[in-house]
Protein backbone atom coordinates (compact mmCIF):
# COMPACT_ATOMS: atom_id res chain seq x y z
CA UNK A 1 0.00 0.00 0.00
CA UNK A 2 1.07 3.58 -0.67
CA UNK A 3 1.25 5.18 2.76
CA UNK A 4 1.72 8.80 1.72
CA UNK A 5 1.10 10.91 -1.38
CA UNK A 6 2.62 14.29 -2.16
CA UNK A 7 1.00 16.49 -4.80
CA UNK A 8 2.63 19.40 -6.58
CA UNK A 9 1.20 22.43 -4.84
CA UNK A 10 1.34 24.77 -7.83
CA UNK A 11 -0.37 22.46 -10.31
CA UNK A 12 -3.02 21.12 -7.94
CA UNK A 13 -4.00 24.61 -6.82
CA UNK A 14 -4.43 25.55 -10.48
CA UNK A 15 -6.56 22.43 -11.02
CA UNK A 16 -8.74 23.29 -8.02
CA UNK A 17 -9.24 26.84 -9.25
CA UNK A 18 -10.15 25.56 -12.73
CA UNK A 19 -12.71 23.16 -11.29
CA UNK A 20 -14.30 25.72 -8.99
CA UNK A 21 -14.73 28.18 -11.85
CA UNK A 22 -16.10 25.58 -14.28
CA UNK A 23 -19.55 25.40 -12.68
CA UNK A 24 -19.56 21.61 -13.13
CA UNK A 25 -21.24 19.37 -10.56
CA UNK A 26 -18.93 16.48 -11.48
CA UNK A 27 -15.76 15.78 -13.41
CA UNK A 28 -13.49 12.76 -13.77
CA UNK A 29 -9.95 12.63 -15.10
CA UNK A 30 -6.49 11.12 -14.83
CA UNK A 31 -3.89 11.48 -12.11
CA UNK A 32 -0.42 11.92 -13.63
CA UNK A 33 2.55 11.19 -11.39
CA UNK A 34 4.68 8.37 -10.05
CA UNK A 35 4.39 5.56 -7.52
CA UNK A 36 7.78 4.81 -5.96
CA UNK A 37 8.13 1.31 -4.53
CA UNK A 38 11.54 2.27 -3.13
CA UNK A 39 10.22 5.23 -1.12
CA UNK A 40 6.75 3.68 -0.61
CA UNK A 41 5.27 7.00 -1.70
CA UNK A 42 3.18 8.42 -4.45
CA UNK A 43 3.81 11.69 -6.25
CA UNK A 44 1.14 13.63 -8.14
CA UNK A 45 2.32 16.02 -10.85
CA UNK A 46 -0.94 17.07 -12.45
CA UNK A 47 -4.63 16.27 -13.00
CA UNK A 48 -5.81 15.88 -16.61
CA UNK A 49 -9.58 15.99 -17.24
CA UNK A 50 -11.05 13.39 -19.58
CA UNK A 51 -12.50 15.21 -22.62
CA UNK A 52 -16.05 14.65 -23.94
CA UNK A 53 -16.52 11.52 -26.01
CA UNK A 54 -17.08 11.41 -29.76
CA UNK A 55 -20.77 12.22 -29.25
CA UNK A 56 -19.88 15.33 -27.22
CA UNK A 57 -21.06 13.84 -23.92
CA UNK A 58 -19.04 14.36 -20.73
CA UNK A 59 -17.20 11.41 -19.17
CA UNK A 60 -19.18 11.79 -15.93
CA UNK A 61 -22.52 13.18 -14.80
CA UNK A 62 -24.79 13.30 -11.78
CA UNK A 63 -28.25 11.76 -12.19
CA UNK A 64 -31.10 12.38 -9.77
CA UNK A 65 -32.57 8.97 -8.85
CA UNK A 66 -36.04 10.50 -8.44
CA UNK A 67 -35.77 11.56 -12.12
CA UNK A 68 -38.74 13.94 -11.96
CA UNK A 69 -38.71 17.13 -9.98
CA UNK A 70 -41.95 18.78 -8.96
CA UNK A 71 -42.75 22.38 -9.76
CA UNK A 72 -42.67 23.20 -6.09
CA UNK A 73 -39.05 21.98 -5.82
CA UNK A 74 -38.07 24.14 -8.76
CA UNK A 75 -39.46 27.21 -7.01
CA UNK A 76 -37.34 26.59 -3.90
CA UNK A 77 -34.21 27.85 -5.59
CA UNK A 78 -30.56 27.00 -4.98
CA UNK A 79 -31.16 25.15 -1.70
CA UNK A 80 -33.30 22.53 -3.40
CA UNK A 81 -30.72 22.23 -6.17
CA UNK A 82 -27.99 21.50 -3.61
CA UNK A 83 -30.20 18.87 -1.98
CA UNK A 84 -30.83 17.31 -5.40
CA UNK A 85 -27.08 17.12 -6.00
CA UNK A 86 -26.62 15.51 -2.57
CA UNK A 87 -29.01 12.70 -3.47
CA UNK A 88 -27.73 12.22 -7.02
CA UNK A 89 -25.77 9.24 -8.32
CA UNK A 90 -22.52 9.60 -10.21
CA UNK A 91 -22.43 7.94 -13.64
CA UNK A 92 -19.02 7.42 -15.30
CA UNK A 93 -18.21 6.34 -18.83
CA UNK A 94 -15.38 4.08 -17.64
CA UNK A 95 -14.58 2.80 -21.14
CA UNK A 96 -13.97 6.32 -22.38
CA UNK A 97 -11.84 7.23 -19.36
CA UNK A 98 -9.76 4.07 -19.96
CA UNK A 99 -9.31 4.98 -23.64
CA UNK A 100 -8.17 8.44 -22.57
CA UNK A 101 -5.64 6.81 -20.21
CA UNK A 102 -4.35 4.57 -23.00
CA UNK A 103 -3.68 7.51 -25.31
CA UNK A 104 -2.22 9.74 -22.60
CA UNK A 105 0.17 6.99 -21.43
CA UNK A 106 1.77 7.03 -24.89
CA UNK A 107 2.59 10.71 -24.42
CA UNK A 108 4.40 10.25 -21.10
CA UNK A 109 8.14 9.64 -20.74
CA UNK A 110 10.20 7.70 -18.20
CA UNK A 111 9.26 8.23 -14.56
CA UNK A 112 5.88 9.78 -15.39
CA UNK A 113 2.79 7.55 -15.51
CA UNK A 114 -0.99 7.49 -15.25
CA UNK A 115 -1.26 6.47 -11.58
CA UNK A 116 -5.02 6.70 -11.01
CA UNK A 117 -8.09 8.87 -11.41
CA UNK A 118 -9.61 11.88 -9.69
CA UNK A 119 -13.24 12.86 -9.25
CA UNK A 120 -14.75 16.28 -8.56
CA UNK A 121 -18.04 15.73 -6.77
CA UNK A 122 -19.91 16.97 -3.72
CA UNK A 123 -18.77 15.29 -0.53
CA UNK A 124 -22.14 13.84 0.50
CA UNK A 125 -22.75 12.28 -2.92
CA UNK A 126 -19.35 10.59 -2.70
CA UNK A 127 -19.79 9.19 0.80
CA UNK A 128 -23.42 8.16 0.77
CA UNK A 129 -23.52 6.09 -2.42
CA UNK A 130 -22.14 2.57 -2.74
CA UNK A 131 -22.98 2.78 -6.46
CA UNK A 132 -20.65 5.76 -6.83
CA UNK A 133 -17.79 3.99 -5.04
CA UNK A 134 -18.29 0.85 -7.12
CA UNK A 135 -18.16 2.82 -10.37
CA UNK A 136 -15.03 4.65 -9.29
CA UNK A 137 -13.24 1.41 -8.38
CA UNK A 138 -14.24 -0.17 -11.68
CA UNK A 139 -12.94 2.88 -13.53
CA UNK A 140 -9.65 2.70 -11.62
CA UNK A 141 -9.28 -0.94 -12.65
CA UNK A 142 -10.00 -0.26 -16.33
CA UNK A 143 -7.56 2.65 -16.35
CA UNK A 144 -4.87 0.43 -14.83
CA UNK A 145 -5.42 -2.19 -17.54
CA UNK A 146 -5.30 0.43 -20.31
CA UNK A 147 -2.18 2.16 -18.95
CA UNK A 148 -0.16 -0.49 -17.06
CA UNK A 149 2.80 0.38 -14.87
CA UNK A 150 5.60 -2.04 -15.70
CA UNK A 151 7.08 -2.26 -12.25
CA UNK A 152 7.34 -5.36 -10.08
CA UNK A 153 4.55 -5.90 -7.54
CA UNK A 154 2.92 -2.54 -8.18
CA UNK A 155 -0.75 -3.26 -8.68
CA UNK A 156 -1.74 -0.11 -6.80
CA UNK A 157 -3.45 3.02 -8.07
CA UNK A 158 -4.69 6.27 -6.54
CA UNK A 159 -8.24 7.59 -6.22
CA UNK A 160 -8.34 11.30 -5.42
CA UNK A 161 -11.60 12.92 -4.41
CA UNK A 162 -11.87 16.71 -4.60
CA UNK A 163 -14.98 17.70 -2.67
CA UNK A 164 -16.84 20.96 -2.75
CA UNK A 165 -19.21 22.30 -0.12
CA UNK A 166 -17.02 21.90 1.89
CA UNK A 167 -13.84 22.11 -0.21
CA UNK A 168 -11.27 19.43 0.64
CA UNK A 169 -8.95 16.81 -0.87
CA UNK A 170 -8.82 13.15 0.11
CA UNK A 171 -6.67 10.40 -1.36
CA UNK A 172 -7.11 6.64 -1.28
CA UNK A 173 -4.83 3.82 -2.35
CA UNK A 174 -6.53 1.07 -4.37
CA UNK A 175 -5.21 -2.49 -4.55
CA UNK A 176 -6.24 -4.02 -7.87
CA UNK A 177 -7.49 -7.59 -8.02
CA UNK A 178 -10.00 -9.68 -9.95
CA UNK A 179 -12.67 -8.85 -7.37
CA UNK A 180 -12.56 -5.22 -6.23
CA UNK A 181 -14.58 -4.38 -3.12
CA UNK A 182 -14.71 -1.55 -0.62
CA UNK A 183 -11.96 -3.39 1.30
CA UNK A 184 -9.67 -2.85 -1.68
CA UNK A 185 -9.13 0.82 -0.83
CA UNK A 186 -7.37 2.42 2.10
CA UNK A 187 -7.00 6.10 3.01
CA UNK A 188 -3.48 7.49 2.79
CA UNK A 189 -1.85 10.69 3.95
CA UNK A 190 -2.11 13.44 1.35
CA UNK A 191 -0.25 16.72 1.35
CA UNK A 192 0.98 19.30 -1.12
CA UNK A 193 4.52 20.45 -1.61
CA UNK A 194 7.31 21.15 -4.07
CA UNK A 195 7.44 18.13 -6.40
CA UNK A 196 7.99 18.93 -10.09
CA UNK A 197 10.65 21.60 -9.62
CA UNK A 198 12.87 19.13 -7.73
CA UNK A 199 12.83 16.43 -10.44
CA UNK A 200 16.15 15.47 -12.03
CA UNK A 201 16.32 15.04 -15.81
CA UNK A 202 18.00 12.17 -17.72
CA UNK A 203 18.36 11.72 -21.47
CA UNK A 204 19.48 8.75 -23.57
CA UNK A 205 19.91 8.34 -27.33
CA UNK A 206 19.62 4.60 -27.95
CA UNK A 207 20.81 3.30 -31.31
CA UNK A 208 19.81 -0.24 -32.19
CA UNK A 209 19.78 -2.82 -34.97
CA UNK A 210 17.78 -5.95 -34.23
CA UNK A 211 17.36 -9.02 -36.42
CA UNK A 212 14.38 -11.30 -36.01
CA UNK A 213 14.59 -14.67 -37.84
CA UNK A 214 11.75 -15.84 -40.04
CA UNK A 215 11.36 -19.59 -39.68
CA UNK A 216 9.13 -22.26 -41.12
CA UNK A 217 7.21 -22.51 -37.86
CA UNK A 218 6.36 -18.80 -38.13
CA UNK A 219 5.14 -19.06 -41.72
CA UNK A 220 1.70 -17.67 -40.83
CA UNK A 221 2.81 -14.77 -38.63
CA UNK A 222 2.56 -11.17 -39.80
CA UNK A 223 5.32 -8.61 -39.56
CA UNK A 224 3.67 -6.84 -36.62
CA UNK A 225 3.30 -10.11 -34.65
CA UNK A 226 6.93 -11.11 -35.21
CA UNK A 227 8.13 -7.64 -34.30
CA UNK A 228 6.03 -7.56 -31.13
CA UNK A 229 7.58 -10.84 -29.99
CA UNK A 230 11.02 -9.51 -30.91
CA UNK A 231 10.63 -6.30 -28.91
CA UNK A 232 9.52 -8.31 -25.86
CA UNK A 233 12.59 -10.54 -26.17
CA UNK A 234 14.89 -7.54 -26.55
CA UNK A 235 13.35 -5.91 -23.48
CA UNK A 236 14.81 -8.69 -21.30
CA UNK A 237 18.29 -8.04 -22.71
CA UNK A 238 17.92 -4.28 -22.36
CA UNK A 239 16.84 -4.40 -18.72
CA UNK A 240 20.04 -6.25 -17.84
CA UNK A 241 22.32 -3.72 -19.56
CA UNK A 242 24.86 -1.66 -17.66
CA UNK A 243 25.00 2.10 -18.17
CA UNK A 244 27.13 5.21 -18.00
CA UNK A 245 25.72 8.43 -16.58
CA UNK A 246 27.72 11.51 -17.55
CA UNK A 247 30.57 9.17 -18.49
CA UNK A 248 30.64 7.32 -15.15
CA UNK A 249 29.69 3.67 -14.72
CA UNK A 250 26.67 3.25 -12.44
CA UNK A 251 27.63 0.81 -9.67
CA UNK A 252 25.75 1.96 -6.58
CA UNK A 253 22.29 2.81 -5.26
CA UNK A 254 23.12 6.36 -4.20
CA UNK A 255 20.89 9.31 -5.17
CA UNK A 256 22.08 11.64 -7.92
CA UNK A 257 23.16 14.88 -6.28
CA UNK A 258 24.31 16.93 -9.29
CA UNK A 259 21.98 19.31 -11.11
CA UNK A 260 21.28 19.74 -14.81
CA UNK A 261 20.65 17.32 -17.65
CA UNK A 262 22.31 13.92 -17.20
CA UNK A 263 23.38 11.96 -20.29
CA UNK A 264 22.86 8.19 -20.19
CA UNK A 265 24.64 5.63 -22.37
CA UNK A 266 23.47 2.02 -22.27
CA UNK A 267 26.07 -0.76 -22.54
CA UNK A 268 24.73 -3.98 -24.00
CA UNK A 269 27.05 -7.02 -24.04
CA UNK A 270 28.32 -8.16 -27.41
CA UNK A 271 26.35 -11.32 -28.08
CA UNK A 272 24.38 -13.12 -30.73
CA UNK A 273 20.72 -12.39 -30.84
CA UNK A 274 18.97 -14.70 -28.38
CA UNK A 275 16.23 -15.62 -30.83
CA UNK A 276 18.62 -16.48 -33.64
CA UNK A 277 20.55 -18.92 -31.46
CA UNK A 278 17.46 -21.06 -30.97
CA UNK A 279 17.30 -22.06 -34.64
CA UNK A 280 19.60 -23.92 -37.00
CA UNK A 281 20.52 -22.53 -40.39
CA UNK A 282 18.13 -24.91 -42.10
CA UNK A 283 15.20 -23.49 -40.07
CA UNK A 284 15.82 -19.82 -40.91
CA UNK A 285 14.41 -18.57 -44.20
CA UNK A 286 15.06 -14.87 -43.76
CA UNK A 287 15.29 -11.94 -41.38
CA UNK A 288 13.32 -8.91 -40.30
CA UNK A 289 15.86 -6.17 -39.68
CA UNK A 290 14.65 -3.45 -37.31
CA UNK A 291 16.98 -0.50 -36.84
CA UNK A 292 16.94 3.14 -35.82
CA UNK A 293 17.35 5.51 -32.88
CA UNK A 294 15.13 6.17 -29.89
CA UNK A 295 15.47 9.37 -27.87
CA UNK A 296 14.39 8.80 -24.28
CA UNK A 297 13.89 11.08 -21.28
CA UNK A 298 13.26 10.17 -17.64
CA UNK A 299 12.59 12.16 -14.47
CA UNK A 300 13.74 11.14 -11.00
CA UNK A 301 12.72 12.25 -7.54
CA UNK A 302 15.72 13.64 -5.66
CA UNK A 303 15.44 10.95 -2.96
CA UNK A 304 15.33 7.98 -5.36
CA UNK A 305 18.57 6.12 -6.25
CA UNK A 306 20.10 6.71 -9.66
CA UNK A 307 19.42 3.08 -10.60
CA UNK A 308 15.71 4.00 -10.73
CA UNK A 309 16.47 6.53 -13.47
CA UNK A 310 18.12 3.76 -15.52
CA UNK A 311 15.12 1.48 -15.00
CA UNK A 312 12.81 4.30 -16.13
CA UNK A 313 14.96 5.00 -19.22
CA UNK A 314 14.94 1.33 -20.26
CA UNK A 315 11.21 1.05 -19.67
CA UNK A 316 10.61 4.22 -21.68
CA UNK A 317 12.59 2.88 -24.66
CA UNK A 318 10.61 -0.35 -24.78
CA UNK A 319 7.27 1.43 -24.28
CA UNK A 320 8.17 3.87 -27.06
CA UNK A 321 8.83 1.06 -29.54
CA UNK A 322 5.62 -0.72 -28.50
CA UNK A 323 3.61 2.51 -28.76
CA UNK A 324 4.85 3.12 -32.31
CA UNK A 325 3.91 -0.41 -33.30
CA UNK A 326 0.45 0.05 -31.73
CA UNK A 327 -0.05 3.26 -33.71
CA UNK A 328 0.86 1.51 -36.97
CA UNK A 329 -1.49 -1.37 -36.21
CA UNK A 330 -4.31 1.01 -35.25
CA UNK A 331 -3.83 2.89 -38.51
CA UNK A 332 -3.81 -0.40 -40.45
CA UNK A 333 -7.16 -1.36 -38.89
CA UNK A 334 -8.61 1.98 -39.96
CA UNK A 335 -7.23 1.65 -43.50
CA UNK A 336 -8.92 -1.71 -44.02
CA UNK A 337 -12.32 -0.03 -43.72
CA UNK A 338 -15.72 -1.73 -44.15
CA UNK A 339 -16.17 -4.68 -46.49
CA UNK A 340 -18.38 -4.05 -49.56
CA UNK A 341 -21.10 -6.64 -49.91
CA UNK A 342 -22.69 -6.90 -53.30
CA UNK A 343 -23.31 -4.87 -56.44
CA UNK A 344 -21.21 -4.64 -59.56
CA UNK A 345 -19.89 -1.23 -58.60
CA UNK A 346 -18.61 -2.51 -55.29
CA UNK A 347 -17.01 -5.57 -56.87
CA UNK A 348 -15.28 -3.43 -59.46
CA UNK A 349 -13.81 -1.09 -56.90
CA UNK A 350 -10.08 -1.38 -56.48
CA UNK A 351 -9.46 -2.88 -53.07
CA UNK A 352 -6.77 -1.17 -50.98
CA UNK A 353 -3.45 -2.93 -50.67
CA UNK A 354 -2.87 -4.78 -47.45
CA UNK A 355 -0.85 -2.63 -44.97
CA UNK A 356 2.80 -3.63 -44.62
CA UNK A 357 2.32 -4.47 -40.93
CA UNK A 358 -0.22 -7.13 -41.93
CA UNK A 359 1.95 -8.80 -44.55
CA UNK A 360 3.25 -12.32 -43.93
CA UNK A 361 7.05 -12.25 -44.48
CA UNK A 362 7.13 -15.98 -45.30
CA UNK A 363 5.00 -15.31 -48.39
CA UNK A 364 6.57 -11.99 -49.35
CA UNK A 365 7.57 -11.75 -53.00
CA UNK A 366 8.56 -8.10 -53.21
CA UNK A 367 10.86 -5.65 -51.50
CA UNK A 368 9.16 -3.44 -48.92
CA UNK A 369 9.87 -1.56 -45.70
CA UNK A 370 7.87 -0.25 -42.77
CA UNK A 371 8.74 3.22 -41.49
CA UNK A 372 7.80 3.87 -37.88
CA UNK A 373 6.51 7.18 -36.45
CA UNK A 374 9.10 9.66 -35.21
CA UNK A 375 9.07 10.73 -31.59
CA UNK A 376 8.88 14.44 -30.80
CA UNK A 377 8.91 16.19 -27.42
CA UNK A 378 6.74 19.02 -26.11
CA UNK A 379 7.45 21.26 -23.08
CA UNK A 380 5.02 20.41 -20.29
CA UNK A 381 5.37 21.53 -16.65
CA UNK A 382 8.32 23.36 -15.05
CA UNK A 383 10.82 22.29 -17.69
CA UNK A 384 9.59 18.69 -18.02
CA UNK A 385 8.69 17.14 -21.36
CA UNK A 386 5.99 14.90 -22.76
CA UNK A 387 6.07 13.27 -26.19
CA UNK A 388 3.99 12.43 -29.23
CA UNK A 389 4.52 10.48 -32.46
CA UNK A 390 4.44 11.74 -36.03
CA UNK A 391 3.61 9.50 -38.96
CA UNK A 392 5.68 10.21 -42.11
CA UNK A 393 2.75 12.05 -43.71
CA UNK A 394 1.80 14.12 -40.63
CA UNK A 395 2.77 17.68 -39.68
CA UNK A 396 3.44 19.25 -36.28
CA UNK A 397 -0.12 20.59 -36.22
CA UNK A 398 -1.26 17.08 -35.29
CA UNK A 399 0.95 17.19 -32.18
CA UNK A 400 -0.50 20.52 -31.12
CA UNK A 401 -4.05 19.20 -31.47
CA UNK A 402 -3.22 16.09 -29.41
CA UNK A 403 -1.80 18.20 -26.58
CA UNK A 404 -4.92 20.36 -26.42
CA UNK A 405 -7.37 17.47 -26.63
CA UNK A 406 -5.65 14.80 -24.51
CA UNK A 407 -3.52 16.77 -22.05
CA UNK A 408 -5.76 19.85 -21.71
CA UNK A 409 -2.84 22.11 -22.59
CA UNK A 410 -2.89 25.55 -24.15
CA UNK A 411 -2.00 25.64 -27.87
CA UNK A 412 1.74 25.01 -28.29
CA UNK A 413 4.04 26.95 -30.59
CA UNK A 414 5.56 24.56 -33.13
CA UNK A 415 8.99 26.19 -32.69
CA UNK A 416 9.37 24.78 -29.15
CA UNK A 417 8.66 21.17 -30.19
CA UNK A 418 11.89 19.15 -30.05
CA UNK A 419 12.71 16.67 -32.84
CA UNK A 420 15.90 14.85 -31.75
CA UNK A 421 15.19 11.75 -33.86
CA UNK A 422 16.47 12.70 -37.31
CA UNK A 423 15.20 9.46 -38.88
CA UNK A 424 12.37 7.17 -37.87
CA UNK A 425 13.07 3.50 -36.99
CA UNK A 426 12.75 1.24 -40.02
CA UNK A 427 11.67 -2.38 -40.41
CA UNK A 428 12.97 -4.17 -43.53
CA UNK A 429 12.51 -7.82 -44.60
CA UNK A 430 15.96 -8.97 -45.70
CA UNK A 431 17.23 -11.91 -47.75
CA UNK A 432 14.18 -14.11 -47.97
CA UNK A 433 15.11 -15.86 -51.21
CA UNK A 434 18.24 -14.32 -52.71
CA UNK A 435 20.42 -14.81 -49.63
CA UNK A 436 18.36 -17.27 -47.61
CA UNK A 437 19.77 -19.97 -45.39
CA UNK A 438 21.44 -22.96 -47.17
CA UNK A 439 19.03 -25.64 -48.32
CA UNK A 440 16.00 -23.31 -48.29
CA UNK A 441 16.44 -21.04 -51.29
CA UNK A 442 13.39 -20.54 -53.49
CA UNK A 443 14.81 -19.25 -56.82
CA UNK A 444 12.70 -17.58 -59.44
CA UNK A 445 12.34 -19.02 -62.96
CA UNK A 446 15.00 -16.69 -64.34
CA UNK A 447 17.37 -17.72 -61.57
CA UNK A 448 16.71 -21.39 -62.43
CA UNK A 449 17.56 -20.74 -66.08
CA UNK A 450 20.76 -19.01 -65.06
CA UNK A 451 21.68 -22.01 -62.91
CA UNK A 452 21.04 -24.41 -65.82
CA UNK A 453 23.14 -22.32 -68.17
CA UNK A 454 25.91 -22.22 -65.62
CA UNK A 455 25.90 -26.01 -65.24
CA UNK A 456 26.18 -26.50 -69.04
CA UNK A 457 29.09 -24.10 -69.26
CA UNK A 458 30.77 -25.82 -66.34
CA UNK A 459 30.46 -29.27 -67.99
CA UNK A 460 31.96 -27.97 -71.27
CA UNK A 461 34.86 -26.41 -69.41
CA UNK A 462 35.54 -29.66 -67.55
CA UNK A 463 35.63 -31.69 -70.83
CA UNK A 464 38.05 -29.22 -72.42
CA UNK A 465 40.38 -29.32 -69.44
CA UNK A 466 40.33 -33.15 -69.46
CA UNK A 467 41.37 -33.25 -73.14
CA UNK A 468 44.29 -30.97 -72.40
CA UNK A 469 45.45 -33.24 -69.57
CA UNK A 470 45.34 -36.32 -71.88
CA UNK A 471 47.26 -34.53 -74.65
CA UNK A 472 49.93 -33.38 -72.23
CA UNK A 473 50.31 -36.90 -70.79
CA UNK A 474 50.73 -38.45 -74.27
CA UNK A 475 53.24 -35.74 -75.23
CA UNK A 476 55.41 -36.33 -72.17
CA UNK A 477 55.22 -40.13 -72.66
CA UNK A 478 56.46 -39.89 -76.28
CA UNK A 479 59.16 -37.43 -75.24
CA UNK A 480 60.43 -39.74 -72.50
CA UNK A 481 60.54 -42.71 -74.93
CA UNK A 482 62.58 -40.69 -77.43
CA UNK A 483 65.00 -39.51 -74.77
CA UNK A 484 65.46 -43.08 -73.50
CA UNK A 485 66.03 -44.46 -76.99
CA UNK A 486 68.75 -41.87 -77.68
CA UNK A 487 70.55 -42.64 -74.41
CA UNK A 488 70.54 -46.41 -75.15
CA UNK A 489 71.90 -45.80 -78.68
CA UNK A 490 74.83 -43.67 -77.41
CA UNK A 491 75.80 -46.31 -74.87
Amino acid sequence: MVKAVVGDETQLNLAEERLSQSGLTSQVGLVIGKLSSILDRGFVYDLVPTPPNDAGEPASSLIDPTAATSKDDKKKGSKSKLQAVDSSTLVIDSDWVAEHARQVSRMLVGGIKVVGIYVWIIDTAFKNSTITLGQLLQTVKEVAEAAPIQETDWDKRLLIHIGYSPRRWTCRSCVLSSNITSNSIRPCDFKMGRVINSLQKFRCMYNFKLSFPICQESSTLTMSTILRHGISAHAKELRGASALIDGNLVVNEEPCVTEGLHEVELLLPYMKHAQAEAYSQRDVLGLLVFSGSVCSFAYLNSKEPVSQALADIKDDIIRSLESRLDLICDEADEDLGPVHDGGKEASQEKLPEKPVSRLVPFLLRKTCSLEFPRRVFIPWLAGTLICDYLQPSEALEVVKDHCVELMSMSPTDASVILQPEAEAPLLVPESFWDVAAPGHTVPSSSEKNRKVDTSVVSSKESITSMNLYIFAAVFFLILSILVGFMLVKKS
Side-chain angles (χ1 to χ4, degrees), residues 29-35 46 48 97-98 100-109 111-117 140 143-144 146-149 156-158 319 407:
L30 307 177
V31 178
I32 309 299
K34 185 174 188 178
L35 301 179
D46 198 14
V48 178
V97 178
H100 181 219
R102 186 178 73 89
Q103 296 190 40
V104 167
S105 65
R106 291 176 179 172
M107 302 181 69
L108 304 179
V109 299
I112 303 178
K113 303 288 179 65
V114 177
V115 296
I117 67 169
V140 170
V143 164
I149 297 177
K156 289 82 176 174
R157 294 296 187 277
L158 302 180
R319 286 194 305 112
M407 299 296 294

Side-chain angles (χ1 to χ4, degrees), residues 18-19 21 23 72 75 92 126 138 152 170 213 228 232 263 275 306 335 350 383 482 490:
R18 168 177 54 81
L19 287 167
Q21 294 178 355
D72 294 337
K75 295 178 180 179
I92 301 176
F126 180 81
Q138 181 62 30
T152 306
T170 57
R228 199 177 298 279
S232 298
E263 296 289 348
Q275 275 193 314
V306 70
D335 290 342
K350 184 179 180 181
L482 291 175
K490 286 183 179 181

